[in-house]
Amino acid sequence: MVFSEYEVERYARHLVLSEIGGPGQQALKRARVLIVGAGGVGAPAALYLAAAGVGTLGLIDDDVVGLSNLQRQIAFSTPEVGRPKVEAAAERLGGLNPHVTIQTFAERLTPDNAADRIGGFDIVLDGTDDFETRLIVNAACVAAGKPLVSGALGRWSGQVGVFAGRPCYQCLVPEVPPDAETCARVGVVGALAGVVGSMAALETIKLITGAGEALAGRLMLYDGLTATARTVRVTADPQCPVCGG
């Protein structure tokens, strides 16, 4: 895989990194990443993955841009309110990096389409804000043997984890919490979405290039109010209906 002079200049800061270099940048160009949810986490993650030169980005989201999204979903602008998110995001990403192929799916990920959508990609980045969809994404990733990068946020705190086989996300969240909080109900500080989305993109880049140590089987917890972070290990549940046994 040969880079043009234009691409060499574009990715110059990656190419001089010993952990990425030419081979890592080529791996990024070959990679196919599906982003589930083009919202608070997915929007900044998509921007950084496109900027990094990921060859193919898939975007799946059935929502339209809302005025309240603009406080944190930085891929969108005011004139795009009411426009399908995947359509608006694809245009923004194409403007950022024309070398990236964008595939859009203006639909919700469900048990019926999850295997088909996820099967066409190497890595899945989940930025959705409801537990039901997260569990669907996780089950499909485990079944297809695809690494899952998961990012979530609310109020002033966020979390990022990487799940590849066992333990899986359902080991961490066995079932949908009855009192699950959403950003719409409890609020979220806008800049936190950038922090969590960027960390999710960084973990994805590390998985693709083999740089450093990914958060595999671990969860990074970030507290924006105290500016502290800690990492905890996720224990595999032997009775997990998705990856156990």
Side-chain angles (χ1 to χ4, degrees):
M1 183 178 293
V2 179
F3 291 116
S4 67
E5 291 185 12
Y6 183 82
E7 290 175 291
V8 170
E9 182 175 354
R10 176 182 284 271
Y11 305 126
R13 302 302 185 272
H14 273 180
L15 294 172
V16 297
L17 280 174
S18 60
E19 296 86 355
I20 296 182
Q25 195 62 49
Q26 289 176 336
L28 287 166
K29 189 171 183 176
R30 289 191 300 267
R32 299 175 56 85
V33 177
L34 176 65
I35 298 176
V36 184
V41 174
L47 288 170
Y48 270 112
L49 291 176
V54 170
T56 301
L57 284 176
L59 305 173
I60 181 167
D61 196 311
D62 67 343
D63 201 5
V64 299
V65 179
L67 189 59
S68 65
N69 298 152
L70 303 183
Q71 168 250 15
R72 64 200 177 283
Q73 297 179 20
I74 58 173
F76 311 121
S77 61
T78 302
E80 292 173 320
V81 170
R83 191 178 182 191
K85 284 186 176 180
V86 294
E87 180 183 300
E91 188 172 302
R92 174 75 173 86
L93 299 174
L96 176 62
N97 190 346
H99 298 285
V100 176
T101 298
I102 311 296
Q103 296 182 355
T104 61
F105 308 97
E107 60 191 19
R108 190 177 187 86
L109 195 81
T110 68
D112 293 329
N113 65 14
D116 183 56
R117 292 290 175 253
I118 288 173
F121 293 86
D122 306 316
I123 297 174
V124 177
L125 191 158
D126 179 18
T128 56
D129 60 357
D130 70 278
F131 284 98
E132 289 183 359
T133 303
R134 292 178 197 168
L135 294 178
I136 292 170
V137 173
N138 172 72
C141 284
V142 172
K146 310 285 185 177
L148 169 63
V149 179
S150 175
L153 67 161
R155 301 181 191 264
W156 291 86
S157 61
Q159 62 184 45
V160 177
V162 175
F163 302 91
R166 299 194 69 206
C168 73
Y169 181 81
Q170 193 149 345
C171 294
L172 176 68
V173 183
E175 57 187 23
V176 177
D179 56 348
E181 296 182 344
T182 64
C183 292
R185 185 159 66 87
V186 303
V188 61
V189 62
L192 179 67
V195 174
V196 175
S198 295
M199 288 197 296
L202 182 60
E203 289 302 311
T204 304
I205 291 169
K206 287 162 58 181
L207 285 173
I208 295 169
T209 63
E213 181 181 354
L215 279 171
R218 297 182 295 150
L219 194 68
M220 176 180 285
L221 305 170
Y222 176 75
D223 186 333
L225 277 178
T226 61
T228 57
R230 62 190 179 97
T231 302
V232 298
R233 189 162 295 280
V234 180
T235 302
D237 179 2
Q239 304 302 317
C240 176
V242 175
C243 73

